[in-house]
């Protein structure tokens, strides 16, 4: 899943704590530090109830604007976001990349926007250590090649122009 050293876990814990202590109250327009209906525990409980599973764990490498959980037994990711996803952007990504991009499903009934999708297989290689003198060059070449494919694929689709000026 990525680097799960003790230091990494401490950093992730700080980020999660800040998310619920500062970012969530701001997104919900409530006082920081107030007893909010949206806590880490309430997210866990909502996920377990809504997706009918006790198998819910936080991801090792989280984003800055969301709290993401996985249910390995159900094969789903559950994401609590500060703001709703831009559906036109998600639809465009699905059109371009097909099933390489998860198709999120909105779940109502919680203070934050909640989305779920199938887990996209793969491994996070963020800050992974390499054995001394054994850099995995072939794998890194594959990564660069696939990244090039990813960027080139998007270039062949017409992109939306949200800030285009309309002339009369």
């Amino acid at each position: 899943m990525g680097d799960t050293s003790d230091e990494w876990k401490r950093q992730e814990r700080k980020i999660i704590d800040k998310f619920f202590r500062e970012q969530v109250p701001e997104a919900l327009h409530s006082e920081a530090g107030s007893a909010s209906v949206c806590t880490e525990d309430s997210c866990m409980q909502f996920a377990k109830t809504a997706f009918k599973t006790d198998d819910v764990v936080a991801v090792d490498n989280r984003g800055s604007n969301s709290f993401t959980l996985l249910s390995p037994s159900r094969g789903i990711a559950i994401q609590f976001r500060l703001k709703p996803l831009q559906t036109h952007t998600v639809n465009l990504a699905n059109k371009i990349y097909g099933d390489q991009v998860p198709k999120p499903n909105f779940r109502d009934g919680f203070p934050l926007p909640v989305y779920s999708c199938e887990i996209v297989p793969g491994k996070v290689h963020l800050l992974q250590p390499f054995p001394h003198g054994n850099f995995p060059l072939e794998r890194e070449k594959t990564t660069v090649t696939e990244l090039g494919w990813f960027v080139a694929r998007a270039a062949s689709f017409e992109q939306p122009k949200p800030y285009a000026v309309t002339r009369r």
Side-chain angles (χ1 to χ4, degrees):
M1 276 213 182
D3 183 355
T4 55
S5 67
D6 288 341
E7 179 58 27
W8 185 269
K9 289 176 184 176
R10 277 192 292 279
Q11 291 172 7
E12 285 292 301
R13 174 51 37 205
K14 282 184 179 180
I15 293 168
I16 291 170
D17 291 345
K18 181 179 179 182
F19 178 79
F20 285 105
R21 186 182 63 248
E22 297 175 19
Q23 294 174 279
V24 168
E26 184 179 317
L28 298 177
H29 308 293
S30 62
E31 289 184 28
S34 67
S36 175
V37 295
C38 186
T39 64
E40 182 176 354
D41 288 339
S42 67
C43 288
M44 291 287 235
Q45 191 55 50
F46 181 84
K48 289 177 180 181
T49 302
F51 298 96
K52 297 175 178 64
T53 182
D54 285 329
D55 178 26
V56 176
V57 295
V59 296
D60 290 335
N61 302 288
R62 60 174 298 280
S64 61
N65 292 306
S66 63
F67 178 62
T68 305
L69 304 171
L70 298 177
S71 172
S73 66
R74 296 281 314 271
I76 57 171
I78 304 138
Q79 191 173 67
F80 298 83
R81 300 188 57 80
L82 294 175
K83 297 179 183 176
L85 290 172
Q86 296 180 358
T87 53
H88 67 279
T89 304
V90 173
N91 292 339
L92 181 61
N94 286 131
K95 181 178 176 184
I96 294 169
Y97 300 111
D99 60 2
Q100 287 188 316
V101 175
K103 292 180 175 64
N105 300 303
F106 178 70
R107 195 68 160 206
D108 205 3
F110 196 76
L112 291 176
V114 180
Y115 296 88
S116 66
C117 64
E118 291 181 13
I119 294 174
V120 176
K123 182 176 179 179
V124 176
H125 293 288
L126 183 69
L127 303 174
Q128 74 177 1
F130 299 115
H132 182 70
N134 193 15
F135 185 78
L137 186 58
E138 286 307 310
R139 189 183 74 216
E140 297 308 317
K141 285 181 186 178
T142 301
T143 300
V144 171
T145 301
E146 289 176 357
L147 178 61
W149 174 88
F150 183 81
V151 172
R153 180 107 171 104
S156 67
F157 282 81
E158 183 177 338
Q159 303 297 308
K161 297 171 181 60
Y163 304 107
V165 176
T166 341
R167 300 187 196 267
R168 296 180 191 218

